[in-house]
């Protein structure tokens, strides 16, 4: 009986040691706001967030959690828009098309974060804005409020947690 007890303990330990680990880890996507231009910027980098806050952007906290792998999301910057403007897309073709029109790659054309998970990240477009023309949010309330104020192009842009 003692021998069977030891075998059972070994089996239990073995099962515990081989338990599957989650496939995906997530990173925090910070949201900062420039009151002078009306633009929101989203970043996983605390360094970038903190530097923007030092030069006057407001830290609005966490936008969502993004997986550390999944569908690539690219960020491009329009230096020709008054105050500048950032745009996020999961389409490399769309990002490349904007770069051909004068936008600049952020992060050297590499993904700035990844899309994946069950939480919808909505995008809305303000056709009247010179800068900050796109807003990304997980809040259905915020999205609907913007649409009721005249923003356009409501869709799920990517996913997070």
């Amino acid at each position: 009986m003692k021998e069977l007890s030891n075998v059972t303990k070994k089996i239990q330990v073995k099962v515990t040691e081989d338990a599957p680990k989650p496939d995906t880890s997530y990173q925090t996507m910070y949201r900062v706001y420039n009151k002078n231009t009306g633009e929101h910027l989203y970043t996983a980098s605390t360094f970038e967030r903190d530097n923007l806050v030092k030069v006057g952007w407001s830290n609005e906290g966490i936008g969502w959690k993004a997986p550390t792998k999944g569908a690539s999301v690219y960020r491009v910057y329009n230096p020709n828009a008054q105050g500048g403007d950032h745009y996020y897309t999961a389409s490399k073709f769309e990002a490349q098309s904007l770069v051909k029109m004068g936008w600049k790659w952020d992060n050297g054309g590499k993904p700035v974060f990844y899309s994946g998970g069950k939480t919808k990240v909505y995008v809305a477009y303000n056709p009247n804005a010179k800068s900050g023309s796109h807003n990304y949010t997980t809040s259905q309330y915020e999205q609907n409020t913007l649409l009721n104020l005249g923003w356009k192009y409501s869709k799920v842009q990517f996913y997070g947690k």
Side-chain angles (χ1 to χ4, degrees), residues 46-63:
T46 55
F47 178 80
E48 182 175 35
R49 178 203 60 196
D50 293 347
N51 279 319
L52 290 172
V53 168
K54 283 179 188 173
V55 297
W57 293 60
S58 299
N59 181 359
E60 292 190 341
I62 297 171

Side-chain angles (χ1 to χ4, degrees), residues 1-13:
M1 186 70 153
K2 186 174 183 179
E3 188 174 320
L4 182 57
S5 176
N6 286 340
V7 170
T8 304
K9 285 180 186 175
K10 287 179 185 176
I11 290 172
Q12 287 174 338
V13 170

Side-chain angles (χ1 to χ4, degrees), residues 80-152:
N80 301 312
Q82 182 181 358
D85 198 17
H86 290 89
Y87 180 66
Y88 303 79
T89 179
S91 167
K92 190 160 192 173
F93 175 78
E94 182 180 31
Q96 289 169 328
S97 297
L98 290 169
V99 168
K100 287 179 184 173
M101 294 170 42
W103 291 62
K104 304 294 182 197
W105 284 109
D106 270 0
N107 203 32
K110 297 177 191 146
V112 290
F113 59 89
Y114 297 91
S115 175
K118 294 181 181 179
T119 301
K120 297 174 182 176
V121 180
Y122 302 98
V123 61
Y125 170 71
N126 183 345
N128 302 311
K130 304 247 187 274
S131 177
S133 58
H134 292 87
N135 187 69
Y136 305 85
T137 183
T138 59
S139 167
Q140 185 71 56
Y141 176 80
E142 180 181 15
Q143 181 75 352
N144 288 337
T145 299
L146 293 175
L147 296 175
N148 289 333
L149 292 172
W151 289 59
K152 309 285 182 214

